[in-house]
Amino acid sequence: MSGLTYAEVGATARGALPGGYRHLRHRTVIGSGRHVLREAADAVLEFWMHRGAGVRIEASARRAAPGVYVESRMGIGPLSLSAPCRVVWAEDGERRAGFGYGTLPGHPATGEESFVVELDDMDDVWLEVTSFSRPAGRLMRAAGPLAPMFQRVYAHRLGTTLRRLVR
């Protein structure tokens, strides 16, 4: 896919994450039942989970699909951080739905992140946030160990937000 800043496109969909990056896997139980899965799937695929967590999202389409441009923005004014990405894969099945997006030039990191909701055999619905990333510029390098800590806090916040949205 054109313009992406890394070679391992789609790795968050396949499970095995590439070496040379920081890895994150964070799971949060959202609720139970197929109705919760459907609501959670829409909230993830239509970017409401991100918006509900306080992230400003501009997307080239209402729903995540391969090729959709997504720009996340956090912070205010000159202190805001822009993170341009492109959706590299998406799925919307009976038991699993979500998408992965990859970084574009201008993103503070290089890599991919996915957001997937899944119904398990016990009828519980889980959100899993998976990523592989490394700093793309001075800002992320300067953040040092704070960057992965922020990613974990953000993944937790997304889970809490999604749980609230599907109630």
Side-chain angles (χ1 to χ4, degrees):
M1 206 169 270
S2 146
L4 296 169
T5 59
Y6 65 103
E8 303 86 348
V9 176
T12 58
R14 295 188 293 272
L17 300 180
Y21 295 88
R22 291 187 297 239
H23 296 170
L24 169 74
R25 290 188 193 273
H26 182 84
R27 286 175 44 99
T28 305
V29 69
I30 302 304
S32 62
R34 289 192 183 277
H35 66 287
V36 169
L37 175 68
R38 288 301 352 131
E39 288 181 32
D42 287 342
V44 169
L45 291 168
E46 295 177 3
F47 311 108
W48 292 110
M49 175 183 68
H50 290 83
R51 290 180 177 112
V55 177
R56 290 185 309 280
I57 296 286
E58 290 182 30
S60 64
R62 185 177 132 290
R63 196 165 175 91
V68 169
Y69 174 83
V70 180
E71 184 172 348
S72 305
R73 189 172 284 283
M74 291 186 264
I76 53 174
L79 299 177
S80 67
L81 182 65
S82 173
C85 294
R86 184 161 322 281
V87 176
V88 296
W89 64 267
E91 65 178 286
D92 190 4
E94 291 292 315
R95 300 184 65 87
R96 180 179 156 94
F99 71 95
Y101 57 27
T103 57
L104 293 169
H107 196 293
T110 296
E112 190 173 293
E113 188 167 28
S114 67
F115 313 93
V116 175
V117 288
E118 188 166 18
L119 182 68
D120 71 13
D121 292 338
M122 301 298 289
D123 215 31
D124 289 327
V125 178
W126 292 85
L127 168 69
E128 184 169 31
V129 178
T130 303
S131 71
F132 61 92
S133 64
R134 59 183 170 222
R138 287 183 290 223
L139 178 64
M140 284 289 279
R141 278 193 281 284
L146 294 178
M149 183 184 76
F150 172 76
Q151 286 180 305
R152 285 190 302 278
V153 168
Y154 180 61
H156 176 77
R157 181 175 175 88
L158 290 175
T160 302
T161 298
L162 187 57
R163 189 180 310 127
R164 179 177 42 81
L165 288 173
V166 300
R167 284 197 178 149

